[in-house]
Amino acid sequence: HARQQATPALVPYEPALGEWELQQIQIERELRLALEDEQFRLFLQPQFTAAGELRGAEVLLRWQHPERGLVAPGYFIDHAERSGLIRPMGYWVLEQAVELLRGPLASTDLTLSVNVSVQQLSDDDFLTRIEALLEKGGFSPRRLVLEIVESLLATPGMVMTLCALRQLGVQLALDDFGTGYSSLRYLQEFPVDEIKLDKAFIDPVQHGTDAPLARSIIAMARTLHLRLVAEGVETASQLEFLRQQQASMMQGYYLAYPEPIDTFLARRELQACSAL
Ligand code: C2E
Ligand code: MG
Ligand code: MG
Ligand code: MG
């Protein structure tokens, strides 16, 4: 897996101040600066069919910190959520993703899956903003997939937003499926196109081990005619298991790490070349 070398190592984000409140204030200030200063980067993690065909990528946010290096979202998304900065950050991510779909990826039918926070979804103008992005044109709305996680904050208003989004032609995915309190109820109430089977369900799969919950969720997705993306595929035996269960799509370190945009684009060019 030579491509793995292209992915810079992630460093933990450690604020200089110790106390929690000060941390929050400091990180908030730094995040604000980072937005102005364009320190955020999109990484793309390829998604494949069970047959190994590249279908698209999940867009994952990274913070190219001037001193600390590349910071993973686990260290700043919560702070961004708490301060409300997740809104402008989230829109920035969406805009960048759309520019990729309209630009370098325009000649493909690859999808981009963007993580959307509940705060964004409950914004009054979320729908209008998505509409404005789609009106830029140059790509089919189906190629934009919005990933949402189950949340206790979900409101009836959000269900309407999701219905309206689907009417715009955008696809919806339930992220980290199965890890929340009421995933099945979510599935009943939310009109989605895709389920992302959480990593936790295939973690138990070793050589010859069964994973009955994963099997059941995959079968359920099939019954409901939903695409199922297995997250966190790390081993050959997990891949084998998922193929046996006829999971539709896979994503995970075993197949590809999240990678800088250029690396992803080069991957496509290479595939095009070898296909000739
Ligand atoms: P997620 O949406 O569930 O994304 C999948 C996470 O699993 C990513 O972590 C990805 O790098 C990681 N992953 C993928 N394959 C494997 C694997 O085989 N093994 C393991 N151990 N991990 C794997 P990442 O990039 O650190 O992102 C963490 C979370 O941060 C995401 O979870 C998502 O909830 C959030 N996030 C990332 N970007 C954004 C964004 O633009 N907006 C919002 N609101 N949240 C974001
Ligand atoms: Mg996600
Ligand atoms: Mg996930
Ligand atoms: Mg997750």
Side-chain angles (χ1 to χ4, degrees):
H1 290 247
R3 69 177 91 98
Q4 293 174 7
Q5 289 164 3
T7 305
L10 293 173
V11 295
Y13 177 91
E14 286 180 22
L17 296 168
E19 280 184 53
W20 190 88
E21 288 83 0
L22 286 175
Q23 265 190 37
Q24 172 67 18
I25 291 166
Q26 191 196 351
I27 296 180
E28 198 180 317
R29 193 192 304 129
E30 286 202 56
L31 284 174
R32 224 176 276 281
L33 248 149
L35 253 180
E36 282 169 26
D37 211 32
E38 296 180 6
Q39 292 171 8
F40 292 111
R41 303 281 178 273
L42 301 190
F43 269 51
L44 301 178
Q45 186 175 28
Q47 297 176 326
F48 301 92
T49 65
E53 188 192 339
L54 182 69
R55 275 293 164 80
E58 178 173 4
V59 174
L60 295 161
L61 194 56
R62 299 287 181 265
W63 180 6
Q64 186 64 62
H65 193 284
E67 288 125 39
R68 298 185 178 96
L70 203 61
V71 182
Y75 298 95
F76 61 86
I77 288 285
D78 282 353
H79 292 280
E81 293 263 5
R82 239 177 264 125
S83 63
L85 278 170
I86 193 69
R87 289 185 159 104
M89 283 165 62
Y91 289 124
W92 181 84
V93 174
L94 274 165
E95 277 162 20
Q96 300 298 306
V98 162
E99 286 317 311
L100 281 175
L101 288 171
R102 307 176 64 223
L105 297 177
S107 60
T108 73
D109 55 8
L110 297 175
T111 58
L112 286 184
S113 298
V114 176
N115 294 285
V116 170
S117 87
V118 174
Q119 285 201 50
Q120 276 180 285
L121 269 184
S122 49
D123 266 353
D124 288 339
D125 62 347
F126 185 70
L127 212 58
T128 324
R129 282 180 182 247
I130 294 291
E131 226 168 344
L133 288 175
L134 297 179
E135 271 163 14
K136 289 181 163 194
F139 68 102
S140 157
R142 283 193 59 76
R143 293 179 53 216
L144 181 62
V145 182
L146 301 182
E147 293 193 4
I148 52 175
V149 278
E150 176 187 323
S151 156
L152 296 172
L153 300 175
T155 61
M158 260 178 53
V159 180
M160 287 174 65
T161 306
L162 294 177
C163 289
L165 282 168
R166 267 187 111 203
Q167 261 156 20
L168 291 177
V170 165
Q171 296 199 69
L172 301 177
L174 268 185
D175 204 353
D176 302 347
F177 185 81
T179 57
Y181 293 101
S182 51
S183 301
L184 291 177
R185 209 205 63 188
Y186 255 65
L187 204 52
Q188 191 176 29
E189 290 181 8
F190 285 10
V192 299
D193 304 276
E194 175 181 301
I195 290 176
K196 296 198 78 176
L197 177 68
D198 195 79
K199 182 178 181 305
F201 294 102
I202 58 157
D203 275 346
V205 178
Q206 301 300 331
H207 286 286
T209 339
D210 194 13
L213 273 172
R215 252 192 309 119
S216 311
I217 297 174
I218 294 167
M220 179 189 71
R222 197 165 36 245
T223 306
L224 298 172
H225 304 290
L226 297 172
R227 185 168 61 239
L228 181 131
V229 179
E231 290 194 282
V233 182
E234 289 184 339
T235 67
S237 43
Q238 288 173 341
L239 181 63
E240 180 54 29
F241 170 85
L242 290 164
R243 278 185 174 146
Q244 273 168 11
Q245 301 306 319
Q246 297 169 52
S248 19
M249 306 249 304
M250 336 262 160
Q251 179 183 343
Y253 294 169
Y254 183 71
L255 305 159
Y257 286 87
E259 56 198 22
I261 291 168
D262 287 347
T263 310
F264 182 77
L265 297 176
R267 168 193 294 282
R268 283 188 40 250
E269 277 155 25
L270 281 175
Q271 289 208 340
C273 291
S274 62
L276 287 175

